[in-house]
Amino acid sequence: MFEIPNSVKTMHHADKISEDRSDSIHESKKISTENPAKLTILSSKVRQSKKFILTEDRIETKPFSKTKYFSSDPHEFETIKELGALIEYLSKTSNSMIIHGYRDQSHSNIRRQTSNFPEPPEGVGWACLDIDGWKAPDGVEPNSMEAVEELIKCLPKEFHERSYFYQFSNSAGIRKADGKLVKDGTRVHLFYMFEKPASLASLKSYFIVFCFSTNFTIKQENSDKDAIPVIDPALLNAVQPITIALS
């Protein structure tokens, strides 16, 4: 079982975004789970995060390195602070990711496959909502705490006035020489915990239906495709990588 060093086990209560855009906990109504929530930490010898390099008015993207085999560590937690502390700790590395799938023993040299890391039989006690390009209201800085709060007002009512953890993506806030954002919109991961576990399939279906029924969608840039959900359903799969490294 993965253990966080004692020096980072206690997360601060953060209602503000620090100057380096670090992760933040927002606490309101707390959620108490019936059983510990579970996830798996996957680590490799190569980078597991995207890297964005701004050259004049163009942004170069270096995707995370593809690797077939990982070291895995199971992790259980009971509060959003514990989850936030874990992500804050892992975000300082460049070779780790987390997944919803779970295996109750640590392994080395194991593949990221559903057969190896199935969804817990009781379901998942947490979820990451991936927001990529939501348009903040006029006058609101898209990558700010104010934007996050406005965004949450657009989520299903069950997510209002609840504790959450947020982390802006690596591409958030990068600006061109003229001050314009290279990538428009709010780009953030929102982590929530549930009172009772739910299946990933039910969560995915729930968010897809919600987004399309409420027009909580965005039009893809430079694409003729139809609008897509603001909440990316791809992360609601057992072995879909949730990249959290900020370096």
Side-chain angles (χ1 to χ4, degrees):
M1 188 69 65
F2 180 82
E3 289 290 338
I4 307 173
N6 287 329
S7 59
V8 296
K9 277 188 176 178
T10 302
M11 282 291 293
H12 60 285
H13 180 286
D15 288 322
K16 298 180 180 178
I17 299 172
S18 60
E19 294 180 357
D20 64 355
R21 296 187 317 164
S22 66
D23 316 334
S24 296
I25 292 282
H26 178 86
E27 292 187 303
S28 51
K29 183 177 180 180
K30 297 182 179 180
I31 298 296
S32 58
T33 57
E34 293 182 343
N35 299 297
K38 301 173 181 177
L39 59 76
T40 299
I41 303 164
L42 298 180
S43 302
S44 73
K45 295 181 180 179
V46 295
R47 174 180 291 276
Q48 294 300 317
S49 65
K50 290 182 180 179
K51 192 170 186 178
F52 297 90
I53 301 174
L54 183 62
T55 305
E56 296 181 350
D57 283 348
R58 187 167 60 89
I59 188 170
E60 296 181 5
T61 303
K62 291 187 177 181
F64 61 80
S65 303
K66 294 183 178 180
T67 183
K68 290 184 177 180
Y69 296 95
F70 296 85
S71 297
S72 69
D73 290 293
H75 187 72
E76 297 184 357
F77 53 97
E78 296 183 345
T79 68
I80 195 68
K81 277 194 173 184
E82 292 175 22
L83 176 59
L86 173 70
I87 294 173
E88 184 174 70
Y89 174 70
L90 293 176
S91 70
K92 294 178 173 61
T93 72
S94 61
N95 66 332
S96 296
M97 64 174 69
I98 59 176
I99 58 174
H100 284 98
Y102 186 77
R103 192 182 183 98
D104 61 5
Q105 293 181 335
S106 296
H107 288 268
S108 60
N109 208 38
I110 190 170
R111 300 194 70 168
R112 180 175 54 84
Q113 297 175 327
T114 305
S115 57
N116 290 330
F117 302 101
E119 177 181 336
E122 70 275 15
V124 296
W126 66 284
C128 173
L129 308 188
D130 183 17
I131 310 296
D132 204 15
W134 177 74
K135 188 180 185 306
D138 292 342
V140 176
E141 167 61 38
N143 299 295
S144 67
M145 186 68 213
E146 184 180 3
V148 172
E149 288 290 294
E150 291 295 326
L151 166 63
I152 288 172
K153 293 177 183 178
C154 299
L155 297 179
K157 60 182 177 59
E158 292 83 358
F159 293 84
H160 299 178
E161 299 299 324
R162 295 293 187 271
S163 297
Y164 62 92
F165 178 85
Y166 71 94
Q167 182 190 54
F168 289 116
S169 71
N170 280 354
S171 63
I174 299 177
R175 297 182 182 274
K176 302 176 185 178
D178 60 5
K180 294 182 178 180
L181 289 170
V182 173
K183 288 193 173 186
D184 292 331
T186 299
R187 298 172 182 274
V188 66
H189 282 171
L190 298 174
F191 295 85
Y192 282 92
M193 292 186 67
F194 308 134
E195 291 180 347
K196 296 181 179 180
S199 71
L200 288 169
S202 67
L203 289 172
K204 181 185 293 188
S205 175
Y206 174 76
F207 284 119
I208 290 175
V209 170
F210 171 81
C211 287
F212 283 116
S213 64
T214 61
N215 292 320
F216 193 44
T217 58
I218 54 175
K219 188 73 169 64
Q220 298 184 79
E221 295 180 7
N222 305 318
S223 174
D224 295 329
K225 295 182 180 180
D226 294 334
I228 59 174
V230 170
I231 302 169
D232 185 357
L235 259 62
L236 298 172
N237 287 295
V239 294
Q240 180 69 24
I242 301 174
T243 56
I244 51 179
L246 295 177
S247 57

